[in-house]
């Protein structure tokens, strides 16, 4: 009789690597029982899928294929726990000599258990404290100057500023266009003004993001926001805009990607650390970053809790923000804020100190001219599949639509027309002005759920190229490089200042030579010979994951032809909110329903660890 381990491997729900890891660990400790080895293999698979641990109460999802059919019978929970409780593979958190850790129904690879516990310990120190070095009278004046008087119904951007000044840890979450960067730039001004007035010193502020592209966008956004600040020029000068990647800020030890010069024993020289696009940061990297942060320093996380989580392990921002809920804070924290500045924040019963650190910005200023996108994003976030389909198909909103999708053999009529028209302005323009060409390229993009397969970028990019050639927008040269080729950089290259996610395009110079242009939002133009580029690929189409942090006027979102574990609510939301003006989904209503109904929940114990010791709030 075939055991569950073999069945799941044969069904491709476990990889050969998962199976060999389990059997190898079993040999180390003399464990041969099938249920114990099965648990080791499934926790390996769960971690590769982005979970910090395996929740044994939900383990059946790893035995179910994409059609919903079970491929193996897993053990019942209680007998399984009994086996694991007597296995040499498994220990408690206190023991350090077992490869797996069991905590309640959560089973961890020890490495990730250690990361989670360490991060919880480090954050708890900040979460439990309220800042005392604040001049309340000055803060009231600053808030009114930077945010204006409190409007009826309140101002969540102002609330976020209050939380960030009053606490050493703050999370500001919000969708595109909710003013996260504008808000945090004002917060940095508040913090500098307070430090200069109260402590007679200047704060050392560091800005980081998970990717080079995100760091560049943060730098550009803060530069733009600084110009409009209602504060003295001397304070503006103290707000940095030099953002860099987390890896680069931590300074990797040469020849490694996981060991850094800045760590607990050699911490970063800073008083405030701002982390943008925090939803993209995985558990190991966030742990190393917070370890390198001095005890006194403030930590501000900025991001969108509803976006796709990190490609790697963990969903830190989602864990910390917790489930969506009404705005409100613990009575203790509300009292402290009132004593400080005389403003009353809304109370929410049973709030923890962790909840007091989180502000969710709700109003999107970007989509005032695209109400369909805003309505669709709300429906997707709420998991309301029927409303999402109705919005896309009713014709009530000209900025959103659902069209027939690609086929396994071609683009399909509708997607072909969209791509041709979407790239016409870029390819028809006289490419003598790189800035204009870059602006035209950035107005439209095809986004895919998958990288591989008939509906993935690897198939769609050459098909779009062919369609553009047939329309005489591209010349069919047969060469890898051609005039007008858009490219996506897929790895960081510090030597030429290019980063994973940067988009450029090939353009012929006056002598007919091809060069690749990377135009920044500040108008800078880096020009390189094609041979100088690091790893890259054509980017008429790109995955939704790669598009995180980007914005386009128009988005064509390609749904796969059948169900996929990749196609989730978070992925659809991320795709939809990349568009400023319009988004067209190419696929079936059934795929929209399936995706909107599928919520990714990465197993983790981080929030439980933090909330357990912080009920009552207020610091």
């Amino acid at each position: 009789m075939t055991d569950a381990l073999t069945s799941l491997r044969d069904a491709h729900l476990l990889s050969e690597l998962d199976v060999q890891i389990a059997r190898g660990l079993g040999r180390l400790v003399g464990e041969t029982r099938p249920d114990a080895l099965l648990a080791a293999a499934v926790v390996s698979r769960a971690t590769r899928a982005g979970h910090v641990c395996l929740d044994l109460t939900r383990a059946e999802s790893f035995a179910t294929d994409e059609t919903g059919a079970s491929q193996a019978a897993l053990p019942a929970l209680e007998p399984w726990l009994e086996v694991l409780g007597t296995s040499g593979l498994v220990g408690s958190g206190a023991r350090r000599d077992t490869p797996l850790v069991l905590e309640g129904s959560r089973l961890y690879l020890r490495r990730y258990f250690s990361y989670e516990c360490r991060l919880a310990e480090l954050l708890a120190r900040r979460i439990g404290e309220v800042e005392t070095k604040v001049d309340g009278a000055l803060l009231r004046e600053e808030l009114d100057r930077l945010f204006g008087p409190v409007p009826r119904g309140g101002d969540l951007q102002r609330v976020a500023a209050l939380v960030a000044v009053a606490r050493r840890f703050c999370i500001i979450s919000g969708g595109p266009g909710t003013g996260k960067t504008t808000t945090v730039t004002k917060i940095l001004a508040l913090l500098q003004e307070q430090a200069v007035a109260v402590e007679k010193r200047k704060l050392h502020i560091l800005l980081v993001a998970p990717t080079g592209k995100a760091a560049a966008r943060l730098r550009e956004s803060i530069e733009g926001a600084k110009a409009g600040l209602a504060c003295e020029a001397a304070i503006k000068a103290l707000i940095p805009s030099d953002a860099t990647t987390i890896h680069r800020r931590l300074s990797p030890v040469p020849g490694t990607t996981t060991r850094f010069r800045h760590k607990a024993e050699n911490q970063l020289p800073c008083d405030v650390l701002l982390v943008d696009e925090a939803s993209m940061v995985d558990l190991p990297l966030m742990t190393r970053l917070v370890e390198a942060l001095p005890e006194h320093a403030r930590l501000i996380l900025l991001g969108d809790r509803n976006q796709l989580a990190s490609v790697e392990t963990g969903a830190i921002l989602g864990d910390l923000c917790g489930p969506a809920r009404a705005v409100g804070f613990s009575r203790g924290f509300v009292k402290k804020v009132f004593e400080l500045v005389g403003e009353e924040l809304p109370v929410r019963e049973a709030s923890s100190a962790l909840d007091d650190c989180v502000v969710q910005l709700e109003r999107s200023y970007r989509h005032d001219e695209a109400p369909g996108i805003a309505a669709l994003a709300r429906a997707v976030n709420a998991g309301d599949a029927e409303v999402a389909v109705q919005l896309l198909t009713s014709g009530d909103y000209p900025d959103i639509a659902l069209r027939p999708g690609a086929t396994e053999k071609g683009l399909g009529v509708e997607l072909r027309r969209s791509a041709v028209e979407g790239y016409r302005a870029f390819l028809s323009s006289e490419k003598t002005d790189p800035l204009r060409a870059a602006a035209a390229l950035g107005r439209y993009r095809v986004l895919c759920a998958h990288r591989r397969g008939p509906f993935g970028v690897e198939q769609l990019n050459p098909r779009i190229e062919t369609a553009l050639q047939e329309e005489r927008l591209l010349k069919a040269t047969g060469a890898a490089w051609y005039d007008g080729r858009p490219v996506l950089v897929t790895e960081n290259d510090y030597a030429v200042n290019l980063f994973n996610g940067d988009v450029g395009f090939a353009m012929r110079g006056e002598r007919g030579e091809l060069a690749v242009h990377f135009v920044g939002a500040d108008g800078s133009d880096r020009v390189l010979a094609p041979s100088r580029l690091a790893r890259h690929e054509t980017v008429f189409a790109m995955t939704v994951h790669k598009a995180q942090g980007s914005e386009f006027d128009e988005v064509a979102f390609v749904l796969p032809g059948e169900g996929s574990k990749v196609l989730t609510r978070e992925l659809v939301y991320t795709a939809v909110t990349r568009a400023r003006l319009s988004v067209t989904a190419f696929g079936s209503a059934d795929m929209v329903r399936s995706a909107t109904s599928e919520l990714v929940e990465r197993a983790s114990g981080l929030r439980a660890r933090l909330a357990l010791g912080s009920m009552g709030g207020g610091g």
Side-chain angles (χ1 to χ4, degrees):
M1 181 177 177
T2 303
D3 63 15
L5 192 66
T6 304
S7 296
L8 294 178
R9 182 196 60 189
D10 292 346
H12 304 292
L13 295 175
L14 292 177
S15 70
E16 186 62 34
L17 175 63
D18 299 325
V19 174
Q20 292 306 320
I21 285 174
R23 290 175 175 166
L25 292 176
R27 285 192 293 271
L28 286 175
V29 300
E31 177 61 83
T32 60
R33 288 175 293 177
D35 287 354
L37 299 181
L38 175 65
V42 178
V43 75
S44 170
R45 174 69 185 92
T47 304
R48 289 195 302 105
H51 299 270
V52 178
C53 57
L54 170 65
D55 184 347
L56 293 169
T57 66
R58 299 181 179 181
E60 68 277 357
S61 65
F62 292 97
T64 304
D65 63 22
E66 293 184 353
T67 69
S70 176
Q71 297 298 312
L74 299 186
L77 179 61
E78 290 305 321
W80 207 359
L81 290 173
E82 289 180 12
V83 169
L84 295 176
T86 60
S87 174
L89 285 171
V90 181
S92 66
R95 290 181 60 186
R96 297 181 182 275
D97 58 347
T98 59
L100 306 182
V101 177
L102 182 63
E103 190 176 65
S105 64
R106 296 194 300 264
L107 183 66
Y108 293 81
L109 292 175
R110 179 167 291 281
R111 176 184 178 218
Y112 292 100
F113 176 80
S114 299
Y115 280 132
E116 184 177 277
C117 290
R118 180 61 173 152
L119 181 60
E121 174 192 1
L122 293 167
L123 292 179
R125 297 174 187 173
R126 289 181 167 78
I127 288 169
E129 295 186 8
V130 175
E131 184 59 59
T132 57
K133 297 178 181 178
V134 178
D135 184 328
L138 174 61
L139 181 57
R140 283 194 298 272
E141 184 273 323
E142 292 169 328
L143 289 167
D144 287 341
R145 172 164 38 85
L146 289 168
F147 292 91
V150 182
R152 181 176 297 178
D155 178 356
L156 287 176
Q157 293 185 357
R158 184 182 176 113
V159 170
L162 268 170
V163 172
V165 173
R167 307 198 77 100
R168 287 198 300 124
F169 178 56
C170 176
I171 300 172
I172 303 172
S173 174
T178 53
K180 295 189 297 294
T181 308
T182 300
T183 301
V184 83
T185 306
K186 293 177 181 180
I187 288 170
L188 298 181
L190 288 172
L191 293 175
Q192 286 288 19
E193 287 184 337
Q194 286 285 322
V196 170
V198 178
E199 302 179 59
K200 311 302 180 186
R201 71 185 186 98
K202 306 168 186 177
L203 298 177
H204 187 181
I205 299 171
L206 296 180
L207 312 177
V208 297
T211 67
K213 181 179 181 181
R217 288 184 58 81
L218 176 61
R219 178 169 58 249
E220 293 157 1
S221 297
I222 286 188
E223 277 292 340
K226 280 169 60 175
L229 284 180
C231 64
E232 295 179 359
I235 295 298
K236 291 183 184 181
L238 296 178
I239 300 173
S241 57
D242 182 21
T244 187
T245 64
I246 296 173
H247 277 87
R248 193 168 195 179
R249 180 59 67 191
L250 289 176
S251 186
V253 174
T256 75
T257 58
T258 59
R259 294 172 55 212
F260 300 97
R261 290 193 176 94
H262 288 294
K263 50 189 176 180
E265 298 79 18
N266 179 32
Q267 294 182 317
L268 292 164
C270 74
D271 302 300
V272 180
L273 178 67
L274 169 65
V275 184
D276 196 17
E277 296 290 356
S279 65
M280 299 169 65
V281 185
D282 61 64
L283 173 64
L285 185 58
M286 185 66 82
T287 304
R288 291 188 174 100
L289 179 63
V290 181
E291 272 189 327
L293 190 62
E295 188 77 15
H296 75 275
R298 275 184 170 83
L299 175 62
I300 302 174
L301 302 184
L302 203 61
D304 185 349
R305 63 182 297 275
N306 296 309
Q307 271 195 179
L308 286 164
S310 162
V311 175
E312 305 297 333
T313 306
I316 304 298
L317 194 66
D319 286 343
L320 295 175
C321 289
R325 57 192 181 274
V327 177
F329 302 88
S330 69
R331 291 188 180 277
F333 185 60
V334 168
K335 180 181 178 182
K336 289 180 183 293
V337 169
F338 184 78
E339 291 171 351
L340 185 65
V341 293
E343 290 189 22
E344 292 190 11
L345 299 180
V347 173
R348 187 179 63 246
E349 299 299 337
S351 287
S352 67
L354 174 58
D355 296 327
D356 288 342
C357 298
V358 181
V359 180
Q360 172 74 38
L361 302 181
E362 296 172 348
R363 180 185 173 187
S364 176
Y365 299 89
R366 177 195 299 175
H367 292 140
D368 287 348
E369 297 179 2
I373 292 175
L376 180 58
R378 287 193 297 270
V380 170
N381 266 341
D384 198 329
E386 293 307 320
V387 169
V389 170
Q390 192 273 333
L391 288 168
L392 283 165
T393 57
S394 66
D396 293 341
Y397 293 101
D399 55 312
I400 57 174
L402 179 66
R403 298 283 183 261
T407 68
E408 292 198 0
K409 295 183 179 180
L411 288 176
V413 174
E414 295 282 358
L415 180 56
R416 185 185 192 280
R417 180 183 299 120
S418 173
V420 167
E421 294 307 313
Y423 289 116
R424 185 181 295 278
F426 166 62
L427 295 172
S428 298
S429 62
E430 285 292 331
K431 294 190 190 63
T432 56
D433 186 339
L435 272 66
R436 289 187 179 181
L441 176 61
R443 292 189 188 113
Y444 176 87
R445 195 60 43 85
V446 176
L447 303 183
C448 303
H450 293 147
R451 177 172 183 80
R452 298 180 178 86
F455 306 97
V457 296
E458 290 182 353
Q459 295 285 343
L460 291 189
N461 267 314
R463 291 176 184 175
I464 293 172
E465 269 185 343
T466 299
L468 295 172
Q469 289 167 359
E470 291 171 352
E471 294 291 326
R472 300 182 183 278
L473 294 172
L474 285 178
K475 291 183 179 180
T477 64
W481 283 100
Y482 50 82
D483 191 19
R485 182 193 178 198
V487 292
L488 173 75
V489 175
T490 57
E491 71 176 13
N492 294 338
D493 187 343
Y494 295 107
V496 295
N497 202 32
L498 288 179
F499 303 99
N500 186 2
D502 283 350
V503 172
F505 55 90
M507 176 188 290
R508 291 205 178 276
E510 293 180 358
R511 299 178 182 177
E513 77 284 0
L514 275 176
V516 189
H517 295 256
F518 292 87
V519 178
D522 59 355
S524 62
D525 182 19
R526 284 167 290 167
V527 185
L528 298 170
S531 60
R532 292 287 309 281
L533 261 64
R535 292 177 59 185
H536 60 275
E537 59 192 31
T538 302
V539 71
F540 289 113
M542 66 194 302
T543 63
V544 178
H545 272 95
K546 286 288 188 182
Q548 286 191 91
S550 298
E551 300 174 356
F552 312 98
D553 287 350
E554 301 176 35
V555 163
F557 175 39
V558 180
L559 294 156
E562 58 185 19
S564 163
K565 289 186 177 181
V566 172
L567 191 59
T568 63
R569 187 183 305 176
E570 293 87 348
L571 185 129
V572 175
Y573 169 83
T574 303
V576 167
T577 54
R578 296 314 89 204
R580 299 186 191 95
L581 301 179
S582 71
V583 60
T584 302
F586 290 89
S588 69
D590 284 344
M591 284 299 97
V592 174
R593 291 188 183 94
S594 174
T596 305
S597 302
E598 187 68 29
L599 177 64
V600 173
E601 292 186 11
R602 289 189 171 179
S604 160
L606 179 61
R607 184 171 177 82
R609 293 182 199 285
L610 289 168
L612 186 63
S614 62
M615 291 305 295

